[in-house]
PDB file of all heavy atoms in Angstrom:
ATOM      1  N   ALA J  89    -140.693  64.656-167.884  1.00  0.00           N
ATOM      2  CA  ALA J  89    -140.737  63.598-168.905  1.00  0.00           C
ATOM      3  C   ALA J  89    -142.014  62.774-168.790  1.00  0.00           C
ATOM      4  O   ALA J  89    -142.596  62.373-169.800  1.00  0.00           O
ATOM      5  CB  ALA J  89    -139.507  62.701-168.775  1.00  0.00           C
ATOM      6  N   ASP J  90    -142.462  62.510-167.548  1.00  0.00           N
ATOM      7  CA  ASP J  90    -143.634  61.653-167.314  1.00  0.00           C
ATOM      8  C   ASP J  90    -144.468  62.180-166.170  1.00  0.00           C
ATOM      9  O   ASP J  90    -143.934  62.749-165.234  1.00  0.00           O
ATOM     10  CB  ASP J  90    -143.184  60.240-166.905  1.00  0.00           C
ATOM     11  CG  ASP J  90    -142.647  59.459-168.075  1.00  0.00           C
ATOM     12  OD1 ASP J  90    -143.341  59.381-169.097  1.00  0.00           O
ATOM     13  OD2 ASP J  90    -141.515  58.943-167.942  1.00  0.00           O
ATOM     14  N   LEU J  91    -145.759  61.933-166.225  1.00  0.00           N
ATOM     15  CA  LEU J  91    -146.669  62.188-165.104  1.00  0.00           C
ATOM     16  C   LEU J  91    -147.454  60.899-164.848  1.00  0.00           C
ATOM     17  O   LEU J  91    -147.724  60.178-165.807  1.00  0.00           O
ATOM     18  CB  LEU J  91    -147.646  63.318-165.442  1.00  0.00           C
ATOM     19  CG  LEU J  91    -147.059  64.735-165.536  1.00  0.00           C
ATOM     20  CD1 LEU J  91    -148.123  65.723-165.990  1.00  0.00           C
ATOM     21  CD2 LEU J  91    -146.465  65.183-164.202  1.00  0.00           C
ATOM     22  N   PRO J  92    -147.833  60.576-163.607  1.00  0.00           N
ATOM     23  CA  PRO J  92    -147.520  61.333-162.402  1.00  0.00           C
ATOM     24  C   PRO J  92    -146.023  61.293-162.090  1.00  0.00           C
ATOM     25  O   PRO J  92    -145.327  60.386-162.511  1.00  0.00           O
ATOM     26  CB  PRO J  92    -148.334  60.628-161.317  1.00  0.00           C
ATOM     27  CG  PRO J  92    -148.519  59.236-161.814  1.00  0.00           C
ATOM     28  CD  PRO J  92    -148.586  59.344-163.304  1.00  0.00           C
ATOM     29  N   ALA J  93    -145.583  62.308-161.339  1.00  0.00           N
ATOM     30  CA  ALA J  93    -144.158  62.384-160.981  1.00  0.00           C
ATOM     31  C   ALA J  93    -144.009  62.889-159.558  1.00  0.00           C
ATOM     32  O   ALA J  93    -144.794  63.716-159.093  1.00  0.00           O
ATOM     33  CB  ALA J  93    -143.447  63.336-161.934  1.00  0.00           C
ATOM     34  N   ILE J  94    -142.990  62.373-158.888  1.00  0.00           N
ATOM     35  CA  ILE J  94    -142.579  62.921-157.590  1.00  0.00           C
ATOM     36  C   ILE J  94    -141.642  64.070-157.904  1.00  0.00           C
ATOM     37  O   ILE J  94    -140.622  63.870-158.561  1.00  0.00           O
ATOM     38  CB  ILE J  94    -141.844  61.855-156.746  1.00  0.00           C
ATOM     39  CG1 ILE J  94    -142.726  60.622-156.533  1.00  0.00           C
ATOM     40  CG2 ILE J  94    -141.405  62.449-155.408  1.00  0.00           C
ATOM     41  CD1 ILE J  94    -141.996  59.437-155.901  1.00  0.00           C
ATOM     42  N   ILE J  95    -142.021  65.294-157.507  1.00  0.00           N
ATOM     43  CA  ILE J  95    -141.126  66.416-157.776  1.00  0.00           C
ATOM     44  C   ILE J  95    -140.157  66.601-156.595  1.00  0.00           C
ATOM     45  O   ILE J  95    -140.165  65.815-155.652  1.00  0.00           O
ATOM     46  CB  ILE J  95    -141.886  67.712-158.153  1.00  0.00           C
ATOM     47  CG1 ILE J  95    -142.750  68.193-156.999  1.00  0.00           C
ATOM     48  CG2 ILE J  95    -142.697  67.493-159.413  1.00  0.00           C
ATOM     49  CD1 ILE J  95    -143.264  69.628-157.201  1.00  0.00           C
ATOM     50  N   GLY J  96    -139.349  67.670-156.637  1.00  0.00           N
ATOM     51  CA  GLY J  96    -138.345  67.886-155.585  1.00  0.00           C
ATOM     52  C   GLY J  96    -136.982  67.477-156.109  1.00  0.00           C
ATOM     53  O   GLY J  96    -136.827  66.431-156.738  1.00  0.00           O
ATOM     54  N   MET J  97    -135.978  68.334-155.866  1.00  0.00           N
ATOM     55  CA  MET J  97    -134.658  68.165-156.485  1.00  0.00           C
ATOM     56  C   MET J  97    -133.513  68.062-155.484  1.00  0.00           C
ATOM     57  O   MET J  97    -132.360  68.065-155.884  1.00  0.00           O
ATOM     58  CB  MET J  97    -134.384  69.371-157.402  1.00  0.00           C
ATOM     59  CG  MET J  97    -135.371  69.529-158.530  1.00  0.00           C
ATOM     60  SD  MET J  97    -135.143  68.294-159.820  1.00  0.00           S
ATOM     61  CE  MET J  97    -133.862  69.089-160.794  1.00  0.00           C
ATOM     62  N   GLU J  98    -133.835  67.968-154.185  1.00  0.00           N
ATOM     63  CA  GLU J  98    -132.739  68.057-153.207  1.00  0.00           C
ATOM     64  C   GLU J  98    -133.117  67.331-151.926  1.00  0.00           C
ATOM     65  O   GLU J  98    -134.266  67.417-151.490  1.00  0.00           O
ATOM     66  CB  GLU J  98    -132.515  69.538-152.888  1.00  0.00           C
ATOM     67  CG  GLU J  98    -131.457  69.833-151.855  1.00  0.00           C
ATOM     68  CD  GLU J  98    -131.295  71.336-151.637  1.00  0.00           C
ATOM     69  OE1 GLU J  98    -132.317  72.065-151.668  1.00  0.00           O
ATOM     70  OE2 GLU J  98    -130.154  71.773-151.437  1.00  0.00           O
ATOM     71  N   GLY J  99    -132.158  66.649-151.322  1.00  0.00           N
ATOM     72  CA  GLY J  99    -132.461  65.998-150.055  1.00  0.00           C
ATOM     73  C   GLY J  99    -131.217  65.505-149.355  1.00  0.00           C
ATOM     74  O   GLY J  99    -130.109  65.511-149.907  1.00  0.00           O
ATOM     75  N   ALA J 100    -131.451  65.054-148.111  1.00  0.00           N
ATOM     76  CA  ALA J 100    -130.391  64.443-147.313  1.00  0.00           C
ATOM     77  C   ALA J 100    -130.996  63.248-146.589  1.00  0.00           C
ATOM     78  O   ALA J 100    -132.192  63.243-146.300  1.00  0.00           O
ATOM     79  CB  ALA J 100    -129.843  65.448-146.303  1.00  0.00           C
ATOM     80  N   GLY J 101    -130.174  62.262-146.306  1.00  0.00           N
ATOM     81  CA  GLY J 101    -130.702  61.089-145.617  1.00  0.00           C
ATOM     82  C   GLY J 101    -129.630  60.050-145.392  1.00  0.00           C
ATOM     83  O   GLY J 101    -128.432  60.346-145.430  1.00  0.00           O
TER      84      GLY J 101
END
Side-chain angles (χ1 to χ4, degrees):
D90 286 308
L91 290 175
I94 302 171
I95 64 167
M97 299 287 275
E98 178 179 37

